[in-house]
Amino acid sequence: MGLTKQYLAFKPVANFNIIASGRANVAFVSVGGVDGRFVAVAGAEQVLVWNTRLGEKVLEFARDKQEVTFLRPSPDRKHLAVGYTDGVIEMFSFESKQSVCTFSAHRSAVSAMNFDLIGLKLVSGGLDNDLVVSDVVAQSGKCRLVGHNGAITEACFMERFHDVVVSSSKDTQIKFWNIETQSCFKTIVDHRTEVWGIALMRNDDFLVAGSGDTQLAVYKIAENTSNAVEEPTGDLGDLLLESEATSPFRCTQIGNIQRSGFGRTINLVVENNGQILGCHGTDKKIELFYFYSVDEALVRLTKRLKKLDAKSKADDTNANANLAERQLSLVDEIKRLPAISVPEKVKSFDLLLGSNDELRICVTFVKNFIQVFTLNVAEKHAEASAIHTIRQQGHPSEVRSVAFSSDSLAIASGSGESLKLWSRASQSSLRTVDTGYVVSTCFVPGDRHVLVGLKTGQLLIVDIVTGEIIERIAAHEKELWSIVLTPDMRGCVTGGGDTTVKFWSFELIADPTKDAKSEVKVLSLLHKNVLKLEETVLCVRISRNSKYIAVALLDSTVKIFFLDTLKFYLSLYGHKLPVLCMDISYDSTIIVTGSADRSIKIWGMDFGDCHRSLIAHDNSVMGLQFIPKTHLFFSCGKDGKLKQWDADSFEKIITLPGHVGEAHSLAVSPNGKFVVTCGSDRTLRLYERTEEPLVLQDVQEEEREELENNTLATGEESTVPGLPGLKLPSKKTIGAEKAAENILECLEVSKKFEEEDTKNIIPPLMYAYEATNTDDFLLAVLTRIRASDLEEALLLLPFSAVCELLERIPKLTETRQDQTETICKVVLFLFRIHQKPIVNNQMLLPVIQEIIGKLQGAIVGLRDMIGVNFHGMQMLQREVEANQGVELFRDATKTRRQKDMRRKRKEAAAKRAFVQIST
C-alpha cells in the first residue's frame, strides 16, 4: 500500500520549569557516596535528583505517563522506591540509572512506603485502604494486609519486634500487623479525627501520632511480660487481657506534645537514627523534637529530682507527696528544638543528621521551589539558617501562556507572578521578570522585547536584554486575553475583557529615564484605533494577507471584520460554548476554532461555511495553532493531551503524550520544527519534529492496540472457585494476562510437538525461545515472566492446564536443577490455590508423590552445594590470609562488620550513626 500523504512524527524532547511536584515527598539520597547534598523529588511523572549546592539536575528517572506520589530511598542508599498513581512501585538503581524491579501492588495511588532495617522487605500503603508487604530480593509480593476502612497515611516496620508493621489511616485507627500470620493483633482507637502520620522513635521505644488537632499523641512501647499485665475486671477487661496476651508488647499513651503551629498535622518525619522528629501543619513553620537516649533521660530525671528535693525542703513539705513527678516523664525524654520559620507553605520535608550534630532539613514548597536549612543540634540557642535554595529554575505557579521567538531559539512563558525567558536548546532559564498575573505573551519583531498582557488589563513592554519592564500601558479595563502582531510587523492588536479590540503601532521614543539630550531610543506603543463590541473578547487573530481580523466573543460566536475599515464581514456560529482559541492558515483560506464544548471546527474564510466539526478533546480546547506554511495544526485541551490534525483531510494525525492534568496553552515555532505546551502540572513540554514518516493507518492501529492493551480482558478481580476472599499481594495486569496466554500456548505447542513423529522439526515458537526440547521451552516461558506477575498469571490458568503443568514438573526437576527455585515457586503456589481439586483428583496422586520426592531431593542438593561453596571459600580465605599475612576481601569484611556494629548499637541504645555530610 503506497503512501497517500506523508507526515513527519513529532517526539517529546524535554520537560522543564518544574522543580518539585506538590503531590509527592522529598528525600535525601546518596549519589557517588556523598550524603547531604542530593535530594530526590517528583517532577510530574519523572523523579528528579537535584544537587542542592549547584542547583542542577544530576539524574532523572522516568517511567510512563503516571504521576509520582511517593519516594523512599533504601537503607543502603543504592536504590530508590517510587510509587505512582496507578499503584505500581518501581525500584530504580542509582548506579545503573534503570529500573531493577517492579511491584504491581495497589489498585490506586501509593500513599506511604518504608523499608525494613536491612532493606529486604518493603511495606506500602495506598488509597485503596490496603497494605502490601513486598520481598525486594524475590521481587514479588509477600502478603496483603486488609483491615483499614480509609486511605493509608503511613506504614513502617518495627525494628525491635520482628515482622511487625505499624500503619495509620484516615479511618482514625493505628494498627499493628504480624506479617507471618497476616493479621492485625492490636488496634489503637484513641483518635477522634484522621491520623495523618505516625513515627517510631528511639529504637521503637515511643510511637508518636499526629491527627487533626494541634497535639501529637505519644505512646510508650514496652515488651509484654506476664507480670506486667494487671488483673482486669468485667467483660471489657477480659477482652483487654486477651488482646494484651496475644501482643508481644504493650503500647500505652503517656502524654501529648503541644505543637506551636496551627492546623492539623500534615507530615511526621524521622531522621534515620530515630532521635529527631519533625512535623509541620498548615502554617509556615517546621517544628523539631529531640528524643534523649535512656542514659540522658535518667541524667535529666536526676537533676529534676534534686531541684524538686531542694524545693520541698524549702517549702517544708513531704518530698514523696507526688510520686508522678518523681518518675520519668516526657519532660525528661523529649526536648523541643528551635522551630524553623519558612517563607511559604510547606509541602514536604526530610531530615538528615550528620557527624558533627549538624541537622540538614530539605523542604519543598507548594510554590515550586526547594530550600535546604542547617541546624546545630548540640548548641543551646542555635538557630536554623538557609544554606541552599533552588528557585530560579521554575515558575512559582502554573504557566498560563507561552510564545516562541522569531528565530525559534527562545521561549517566553508567563505565570501568575512573573515572565521567564528560556533557552530552547538547553531548557535553562535566562531571565526572570516580576510582572503580575500573565495571561498572554508575544515577541516583538527583532526578539529584543516581549509584549505581556496581564489579568488587570495592563500591557507591558519587557526588555529581554536587561530583564526590565520598559513601559506599563493601561490598555484594557479588564483581562487582556489576546495579543497578536500585524502581518506587516509594525504593530499589534489586543483584545480584552472590556469588550474592545485595540490597535497599536510600534514607535521609538526617547528614553524617559535619560537626559533630554540623550539619543537613546526605547520601544513604545502608540494607540491608533479601537473596535467596540458587545461581548467580552477572548481571542483575536489577523489573516496573513492583512485583509481580515477575526474576534472570538463570549457569546460563542466568531465575528470577522475587514482589517482596513473594521466593517463587519462574517459571523461564524455553531459552537455551543465560547471559543477559547483559534488560528488562521498561512494562505488565509481556512480558520480553525477551538471551543469549551470540546470541539474544533474548520471554516472557510471565503463564505464562512463550516467544512468539518471534530470532537477533539475530552474537555475544553485551550490552545490551537497552525504549523507555518501548512494546513496542519496542533491543539491541546484540559484533558492534558496534545494532538496534531490535518485541516484538509480532517483527520487526526497523532496524539502525543501530554500533561498530567490540564494543558493551558501551546506555541509552534516559526520554523515549524518545535512545539511547546504548558499545563497544570507546572511543566513546560517541548516536542521536536523528526525525520520519521508516519502512516495514518499504522498510527490508528497502534492507538487501538494500546487502548485494548490497557483494558483487562478477564476483569479487575482475581477470583478462584472456592476462594472468595482471595487477597494476593499483587494486582492483575496486562503483563499477567499475556503471561498466562504464553503458558497456555507453550503447553499446547509442547503437546503437539511430543505427539508428532517428526521430532527434528522444531516449531517456530519454540525456536523463537531458543529451545530444543519441551522442558527448556516451558522453563524459558516461566523465567521470562516478571516476578510480580507470576502468581497472577498462574491464577488465570484453567485447572486442566494446571494439571498438565504439574505432570511436567517431575521431569523438569531432574533435567533443569539450575531452576529449582522457580519450579518450587510455581508448585507451591499451585498447591496452595488448587489444594482441594488437586487432592480430590486420583490421577494426580502418583504425580504429587513424585514431585514431592524429586523436589525435596533437588532442594537438599542445592542447599548442600551452597553450603560446600560457602565453607570452601572460607577455608581458602583462611589459607590465603595465613600464607600472605593479609586480610582477603578486606573491604567486604569491613563493610559487614560495620553493619553488624551498627545493628548491635541500635539494638542496645539509639546512638547516632556516622553520616558524612558534604558541605
Side-chain angles (χ1 to χ4, degrees), residues 210-248:
S211 58
D213 51 20
T214 58
Q215 288 185 335
L216 301 177
V218 182
Y219 296 86
K220 180 76 173 177
I221 298 176
E223 291 190 12
N224 199 3
T225 59
S226 57
N227 299 329
V229 182
E230 298 179 358
E231 287 296 328
T233 57
D235 296 337
L236 180 61
D238 293 338
L239 291 174
L240 290 173
L241 176 60
E242 186 180 351
S243 173
E244 291 293 340
T246 58
S247 173

Side-chain angles (χ1 to χ4, degrees), residues 834-881:
H834 302 284
Q835 180 188 4
K836 289 182 180 179
I838 288 175
V839 170
N840 293 330
N841 192 336
Q842 296 296 324
M843 302 292 292
L844 283 178
L845 184 59
V847 176
I848 294 172
Q849 291 175 343
E850 193 177 2
I851 288 175
I852 292 173
K854 291 186 176 180
L855 263 184
Q856 284 179 343
I859 292 170
V860 170
L862 187 64
R863 185 187 62 191
D864 291 345
M865 182 183 68
I866 293 173
V868 168
N869 290 341
F870 177 69
H871 290 287
M873 293 296 292
Q874 282 188 332
M875 186 188 71
L876 289 174
Q877 178 185 346
R878 286 193 297 268
E879 288 182 0
V880 171
E881 290 174 358

Side-chain angles (χ1 to χ4, degrees), residues 421-661:
L421 277 301
W422 306 85
S423 167
R424 190 260 307 156
S426 63
Q427 296 92 44
S428 58
S429 177
L430 305 176
R431 292 281 187 279
T432 303
V433 184
D434 294 328
T435 54
Y437 202 118
V438 180
V439 293
S440 55
T441 51
C442 179
F443 273 89
V444 175
D447 295 335
R448 289 179 56 89
H449 300 84
V450 178
L451 298 178
V452 180
L454 301 185
K455 198 172 184 179
T456 58
Q458 286 186 325
L459 180 61
L460 310 184
I461 305 175
V462 178
D463 191 330
I464 294 176
V465 179
T466 61
E468 296 177 351
I469 299 172
I470 298 176
E471 189 176 0
R472 289 179 179 267
I473 302 170
H476 295 269
E477 296 176 1
K478 292 183 180 179
E479 301 89 346
L480 202 161
W481 288 119
S482 183
I483 307 174
V484 61
L485 295 177
T486 56
D488 59 4
M489 299 298 174
R490 295 183 179 180
C492 66
V493 179
T494 60
D498 57 357
T499 71
T500 60
V501 175
K502 294 189 176 181
F503 297 81
W504 311 80
S505 64
F506 296 126
E507 298 287 341
L508 288 175
I509 62 171
D511 191 347
T513 60
K514 304 290 183 182
D515 297 335
K517 297 179 180 179
S518 175
E519 296 181 357
V520 178
K521 301 284 187 180
V522 293
L523 183 69
S524 181
L525 290 176
L526 179 64
H527 183 219
K528 292 176 59 181
N529 205 348
V530 62
L531 173 62
K532 184 68 177 174
L533 297 159
E534 297 177 355
E535 293 284 345
T536 297
V537 177
L538 298 178
C539 188
V540 177
R541 288 294 180 266
I542 300 176
S543 61
R544 297 277 296 178
N545 58 9
S546 301
K547 193 173 182 182
Y548 306 113
I549 177 171
V551 183
L553 302 176
L554 195 61
D555 61 0
S556 306
T557 64
V558 176
K559 297 193 182 299
I560 302 177
F561 301 87
F562 290 103
L563 185 60
D564 49 359
T565 62
L566 297 184
K567 287 185 177 180
F568 177 75
Y569 171 56
L570 283 174
S571 180
L572 310 178
Y573 54 90
H575 283 290
K576 297 177 182 178
L577 291 172
V579 173
L580 304 177
C581 53
M582 61 180 177
D583 199 13
I584 300 174
S585 62
Y586 73 104
D587 55 5
S588 305
T589 58
I590 298 173
I591 179 171
V592 180
T593 57
S595 168
D597 62 5
R598 304 179 300 162
S599 68
I600 288 176
K601 291 185 185 292
I602 303 171
W603 316 77
M605 287 291 287
D606 43 6
F607 302 109
D609 55 325
C610 181
H611 292 176
R612 186 65 62 92
S613 180
L614 306 168
I615 300 298
H617 293 271
D618 298 332
N619 210 324
S620 302
V621 182
M622 300 298 293
L624 188 149
Q625 190 174 343
F626 274 101
I627 299 176
K629 299 182 181 179
T630 68
H631 279 184
L632 308 177
F633 65 93
F634 281 95
S635 69
C636 66
K638 282 189 177 180
D639 57 358
K641 296 176 182 176
L642 176 68
K643 298 184 179 183
Q644 186 183 7
W645 307 83
D646 190 338
D648 293 330
S649 62
F650 316 121
E651 288 185 303
K652 185 189 71 177
I653 299 170
I654 194 171
T655 301
L656 293 166
H659 292 268
V660 180

Side-chain angles (χ1 to χ4, degrees), residues 653-817:
I653 299 170
I654 194 171
T655 301
L656 293 166
H659 292 268
V660 180
E662 300 178 359
H664 293 322
S665 181
L666 67 84
V668 181
S669 63
N671 60 10
K673 292 184 178 180
F674 301 95
V675 181
V676 64
T677 62
C678 59
S680 61
D681 56 3
R682 303 196 181 186
T683 58
L684 291 174
R685 297 176 185 260
L686 185 65
Y687 305 85
E688 183 179 6
R689 189 177 67 203
T690 63
E691 296 303 318
E692 177 189 348
L694 285 179
V695 181
L696 289 185
Q697 289 82 357
D698 294 347
V699 175
Q700 291 167 1
E701 184 65 29
E702 287 176 6
E703 290 182 356
R704 276 196 297 270
E705 285 181 4
E706 186 178 356
L707 187 63
E708 291 175 1
N709 289 341
N710 289 334
T711 55
L712 292 170
T714 57
E716 294 287 340
E717 293 298 323
S718 299
T719 55
V720 175
L723 294 173
L726 182 66
K727 294 289 183 182
L728 290 180
S730 57
K731 69 172 183 178
K732 193 185 297 182
T733 61
I734 305 299
E737 289 186 343
K738 289 182 177 178
E741 290 177 7
N742 292 340
I743 295 174
L744 291 172
E745 196 172 16
C746 169
L747 294 174
E748 185 180 351
V749 171
S750 299
K751 189 176 181 181
K752 286 183 179 179
F753 178 66
E754 290 170 350
E755 290 175 353
E756 291 176 356
D757 295 331
T758 56
K759 298 286 184 178
N760 296 327
I761 303 175
I762 298 176
L765 187 63
M766 191 183 295
Y767 186 78
Y769 278 91
E770 299 178 355
T772 56
N773 55 65
T774 55
D775 295 337
D776 292 344
F777 182 30
L778 179 58
L779 264 180
V781 171
L782 291 175
T783 52
R784 291 193 186 190
I785 300 173
R786 199 168 62 181
S788 59
D789 289 336
L790 180 61
E791 290 187 354
E792 291 286 349
L794 294 173
L795 201 63
L796 291 170
L797 296 178
F799 186 67
S800 58
V802 171
C803 296
E804 193 175 342
L805 185 60
L806 289 175
E807 289 171 357
R808 295 180 178 274
I809 294 297
K811 185 182 177 184
L812 207 61
T813 308
E814 284 184 347
T815 56
R816 293 296 299 272
Q817 293 194 359

